[in-house]
């Protein structure tokens, strides 16, 4: 990426004064490390009559991809090649704008300690960018720069000069000429280069609004293409765009009334603010799960991957749920759940409704059979994809509750999390995050293989473009009229946690479940006492419960 800034001068005002404004000496070639690569500043010519400063940014696209990857794996596979084969090393994209701010920060702020009188002077400037992506063509380039006082020449770059019939590319060679203060010129470039690129190569966080308004002060408020500039600069993030437009309108009104913006924007008393706070996503998720369990008339519920017991606590508040079992592989999480739920202080009647047991869903477990419903809330994404068949069989093939509720993040919604860096998943332990289509394919496959019917629902605001932040699947065992205690099949199977031997899966088993009608074997009673899992191993399971990567973390991701 390459950009040059040229000015002319005279004996009274030498052109080399440009070096004072840029804080870069004309006799030196300097290099700077930036987050995008290495930036070089040098002067191809430096004389009294004419001086040119050049900024060259060397970008390593492979290093950028590796740096942006999170610990999780949430990227779209079809975009993998595009991450390595692209125009980043050559075209003056938003990365060059970031380098401008890094290398010429003082100049952009209008600071010059050595020659402060130069800051306010308008200089005859010529700015050249050999290759600039321009989504919108030369016409948009002219609309953006001409209202700011520039003479604009935007020449389309042909796709191939030897094949003119192929037409022009989306790139232009840009030349700007005009008299302008250097600080203003740099701010124009800083804002409008990303606007023309229209594909920011870094995460657009909420502080981008402040950066835009600082750089646009004095010219963006009245620009005829203001809405285009704001929308593209903020990567079409509607919430940030709306915030920026409101602040720009406030600045315009304040300027019209010749008052400070703070004097107009004083209708809210922050100390007495009664604005309703948004409901956290974790709360909405529990509400959605409870609604499904109520509609299924479930009474005996498994919380698989219960973590610290938030859902267990919500279930305890409703009398419909007569038996609640929290299962997690982590003893530390179970101890924390006991502390949060205050099991040691519960009344005897209340404590009889809840049990917390250690177990791994990489294995079948006779203790989990015969329940009305099971919940896997924010669990499957913590499992390595190769281990999902083991979890699937343990829950749907062996335990076979009448109702299963599964929630998992919707990776498409991640672009709406303003604090989540691009390409990152929501939690460092997530092995993947599914799109809505991927989740539906997995759920339909599970239902078909194990005799369930499945329906889907959103959790949280359902964005028309990217869907809800959390997606929910409601599995119902095919042929069951009710997932609750009214269903005859469930009531026959669900006598107690250990399994009484009455369920079809538990009769006459030779693998530690005891003979039919005789209760559990000694091994199973010991398993129940110790909290370990001694059920038969699920297909494709791991080597042990302790080191199984399919063990449930049970973490809730709060919005």
């Amino acid at each position: 990426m390459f950009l040059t800034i040229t000015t002319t001068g005279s004996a009274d005002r030498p052109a080399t004064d440009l070096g004072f404004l840029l804080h870069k000496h004309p006799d030196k070639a300097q290099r700077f490390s930036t987050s995008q690569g290495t930036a070089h500043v040098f002067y191809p010519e430096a004389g009294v009559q004419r001086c040119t400063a050049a900024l060259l940014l060397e970008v390593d696209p492979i290093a950028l991809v590796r740096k942006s990857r999170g610990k999780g794996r949430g990227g779209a596979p079809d975009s993998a090649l595009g991450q390595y084969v692209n125009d980043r090393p050559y075209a003056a994209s938003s990365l060059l704008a970031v380098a401008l701010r890094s290398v010429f920060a003082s100049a952009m702020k209008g600071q010059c300690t050595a020659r402060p009188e130069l800051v306010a002077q308008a200089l005859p400037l010529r700015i050249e960018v050999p290759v600039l992506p321009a989504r919108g063509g030369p016409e948009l380039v002219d609309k953006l720069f001409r209202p700011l006082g520039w003479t604009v020449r935007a020449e389309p770059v042909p796709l191939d000069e030897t094949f003119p019939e192929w037409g022009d590319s989306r790139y232009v060679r840009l030349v700007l000429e005009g008299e302008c203060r250097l600080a203003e010129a740099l701010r124009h470039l800083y804002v409008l280069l990303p606007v023309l690129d229209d594909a920011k190569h870094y995460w657009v966080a909420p502080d981008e609004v402040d950066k835009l308004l600082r750089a646009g002060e004095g010219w963006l408020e009245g620009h005829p293409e203001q809405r285009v500039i704001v929308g593209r600069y903020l990567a079409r993030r509607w919430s940030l765009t709306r915030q920026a437009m409101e602040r720009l309108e406030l600045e315009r009104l304040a300027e019209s009334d010749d008052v400070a913006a703070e004097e107009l924007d004083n209708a809210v008393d922050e100390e007495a603010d009664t604005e309703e706070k948004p409901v956290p996503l974790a709360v909405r998720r529990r509400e959605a799960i409870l609604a499904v369990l109520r509609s299924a008339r479930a009474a005996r519920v498994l919380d698989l991957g219960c973590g610290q017991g938030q859902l267990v606590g919500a279930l305890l508040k409703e009398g419909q749920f007569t038996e609640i079992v929290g299962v997690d592989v982590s003893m530390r999480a179970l101890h924390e759940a006991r502390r949060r739920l205050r099991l040691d202080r519960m009344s005897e009647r209340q404590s009889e409704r809840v049990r917390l047991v250690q177990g791994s869903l990489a294995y079948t477990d006779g203790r989990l059979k015969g329940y009305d419903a099971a919940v896997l809330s924010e669990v499957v994404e913590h499992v390595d994809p190769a281990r999902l068949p083991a979890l699937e069989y343990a829950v749907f093939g062996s335990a076979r509750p009448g109702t299963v509720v599964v929630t998992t993040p919707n990776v498409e919604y991640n672009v709406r999390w303003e604090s989540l860096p691009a390409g990152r998943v929501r939690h460092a332990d997530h092995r993947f995050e599914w799109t809505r289509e991927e989740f539906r394919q997995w759920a339909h496959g599970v239902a078909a293989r194990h005799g369930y019917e499945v329906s889907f629902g959103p959790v949280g605001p359902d964005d028309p473009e990217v869907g809800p932040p959390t997606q929910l699947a409601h599995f119902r065992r095919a042929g069951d009229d009710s997932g609750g205690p009214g269903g005859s099949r469930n009531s026959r199977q669900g006598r107690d946690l250990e399994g009484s031997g009455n369920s079809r899966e538990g009769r006459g088993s030779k693998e530690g479940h005891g003979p039919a009608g005789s209760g559990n074997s000694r091994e199973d009673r010991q398993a129940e006492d110790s909290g370990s899992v001694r059920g038969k191993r699920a297909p494709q399971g791991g080597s042990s419960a302790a080191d199984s990567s399919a063990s449930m973390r049970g973490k809730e991701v709060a919005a």
Side-chain angles (χ1 to χ4, degrees):
M1 300 183 192
F2 191 64
L3 176 148
T4 61
I5 303 173
T6 302
T7 188
T8 56
S10 62
D12 297 332
R13 193 179 68 177
T16 49
D17 284 350
L18 181 64
F20 287 104
L21 289 169
L22 292 175
H23 295 259
K24 305 292 183 287
H25 199 286
D27 292 339
K28 296 180 180 179
Q30 302 178 55
R31 57 186 297 172
F32 306 87
S33 294
T34 72
S35 57
Q36 299 80 33
T38 303
H40 302 266
V41 178
F42 56 94
Y43 289 76
E45 55 181 337
V48 173
Q49 302 295 327
R50 184 179 173 93
C51 182
T52 298
L55 172 64
L56 173 66
L57 178 63
E58 290 183 304
V59 173
D60 184 351
I62 296 177
L64 281 178
V65 175
R66 291 173 177 169
K67 185 187 300 183
S68 66
R69 282 178 177 168
K71 296 181 180 179
R73 296 177 284 279
D78 57 352
S79 66
L81 184 60
Q83 295 290 327
Y84 293 94
V85 183
N86 53 56
D87 62 357
R88 291 181 185 178
Y90 318 107
S93 67
S94 56
L95 298 180
L96 184 61
V98 176
L100 275 173
R101 188 188 66 193
S102 301
V103 176
F104 298 137
S106 297
M108 193 175 295
K109 294 175 184 177
Q111 298 174 350
C112 182
T113 305
R115 299 282 300 279
E117 73 280 3
L118 296 176
V119 173
Q121 294 179 5
L123 304 178
L125 295 175
R126 177 185 173 93
I127 298 174
E128 297 185 56
V129 184
V131 184
L132 174 67
R135 299 180 188 269
E139 296 79 9
L140 180 61
V141 178
D142 191 79
K143 288 180 180 179
L144 294 179
F145 284 101
R146 191 172 297 278
L148 301 176
W150 295 102
T151 300
V152 182
R153 188 165 81 247
E155 302 173 354
V157 177
L159 283 171
D160 193 320
E161 293 179 353
T162 58
F163 297 95
E165 64 273 17
W166 288 2
D168 295 326
S169 69
R170 66 182 181 90
Y171 302 94
V172 299
R173 175 178 180 266
L174 176 65
V175 178
L176 301 174
E177 291 184 298
E179 285 204 1
C180 182
R181 293 192 302 117
L182 180 64
E184 290 179 351
L186 292 175
R187 289 200 293 267
H188 295 166
L189 293 170
Y190 174 72
V191 172
L192 297 180
L193 289 181
V195 169
L196 288 167
D197 182 16
D198 198 24
K200 276 205 168 184
H201 295 103
Y202 57 90
W203 180 246
V204 179
D207 63 350
E208 290 293 315
V209 174
D210 294 325
K211 295 177 185 176
L212 171 62
L213 298 184
R214 283 197 299 268
E217 184 179 0
W219 61 270
L220 183 55
E221 298 90 342
H223 199 291
E225 301 296 326
Q226 179 191 90
R227 186 168 295 276
V228 174
I229 294 171
V230 173
R232 285 193 174 196
Y233 182 90
L234 297 172
R236 295 182 172 84
R237 298 287 297 278
W238 66 267
S239 60
L240 299 183
T241 301
R242 182 181 61 188
Q243 178 185 344
M245 294 298 294
E246 289 173 351
R247 290 174 60 180
L248 283 169
E249 178 63 14
L250 183 64
E251 292 288 344
R252 187 189 68 80
L253 293 173
E255 184 177 356
S256 301
D257 291 347
D258 196 23
V259 296
E262 293 77 9
E263 294 183 31
L264 288 179
D265 192 20
N266 61 359
V268 176
D269 182 358
E270 295 184 358
E271 295 182 359
D273 189 7
T274 57
E275 181 183 359
E276 185 175 348
K277 304 302 181 185
V279 179
L281 181 58
V283 175
R284 293 192 179 193
R285 191 159 47 234
R286 288 194 290 272
E287 290 174 347
I289 293 169
L290 289 170
V292 173
L293 296 177
R294 291 189 203 104
S295 67
R297 292 186 289 167
R300 306 176 67 243
V301 180
L302 298 167
D303 182 8
L304 304 177
C306 66
Q308 298 176 12
Q310 290 92 334
L311 179 60
V312 173
L315 291 167
L316 277 170
K317 294 177 181 178
E318 303 200 18
Q320 171 183 327
F321 307 111
T322 58
E323 185 176 351
I324 305 154
V325 180
V327 182
D328 203 284
V329 73
S330 169
M331 285 303 301
R332 181 179 178 182
L334 294 175
H335 286 312
E336 180 63 18
R338 287 191 180 92
R339 186 189 68 80
R340 284 172 171 264
L341 297 170
R342 300 184 178 182
L343 291 184
D344 56 336
R345 301 181 185 181
M346 279 186 184
S347 65
E348 183 176 353
R349 182 178 179 181
Q350 186 81 331
S351 63
E352 287 177 352
R353 295 173 57 205
V354 60
R355 295 190 65 185
L356 301 177
V357 298
Q358 186 183 29
S360 168
L361 297 185
Y363 301 88
T364 60
D365 186 350
R367 300 176 302 166
L368 306 184
K369 295 179 180 179
Y371 280 79
D372 300 332
V375 177
L376 291 162
S377 178
E378 308 302 286
V379 169
V380 294
E381 65 272 11
H382 292 274
V383 182
D384 285 324
R387 309 285 289 159
L388 280 176
L391 178 148
E392 174 189 327
Y393 181 79
V395 176
F396 295 91
S398 175
R400 292 190 61 77
T403 292
V404 180
V405 184
V406 179
T407 70
T408 191
N410 168 24
V411 70
E412 297 170 73
Y413 193 89
N414 285 1
V415 297
R416 298 295 189 250
W417 297 122
E418 298 172 349
S419 59
L420 182 66
R424 297 286 183 90
V425 290
R426 299 184 198 176
H427 192 282
D429 189 55
H430 286 187
R431 303 304 199 264
F432 60 87
E433 286 176 0
W434 276 325
T435 64
R436 288 169 289 175
E437 180 59 28
E438 289 168 339
F439 181 50
R440 285 174 178 266
Q441 288 181 1
W442 174 81
H444 282 304
V446 170
R449 287 188 289 272
H450 299 287
Y452 281 80
E453 299 171 349
V454 63
S455 59
F456 303 89
V459 179
D462 198 353
D463 189 287
E465 294 182 1
V466 297
T470 296
Q471 42 195 343
L472 179 148
H474 175 196
F475 295 85
R476 296 170 299 281
R477 197 167 51 206
D480 282 4
D481 294 330
S482 170
S488 59
R489 189 172 182 181
N490 277 350
S491 60
R492 284 200 304 269
Q493 290 177 341
R495 297 293 186 246
D496 53 28
L497 174 63
E498 299 82 80
S500 63
N502 290 337
S503 64
R504 181 179 301 172
E505 294 86 348
R507 293 193 184 107
S509 171
K510 296 181 180 181
E511 302 194 41
H513 297 302
S518 64
N520 286 352
S521 66
R522 177 181 304 170
E523 292 84 353
D524 273 347
R525 289 194 297 272
Q526 291 172 345
E528 194 246 323
D529 292 338
S530 64
S532 63
V533 180
R534 300 189 184 275
K536 63 181 180 181
R537 182 177 178 180
Q540 303 182 42
S543 58
S544 71
D547 61 2
S548 167
S549 63
S551 61
M552 298 303 98
R553 310 298 201 265
K555 298 179 174 67
E556 292 204 46
V557 183

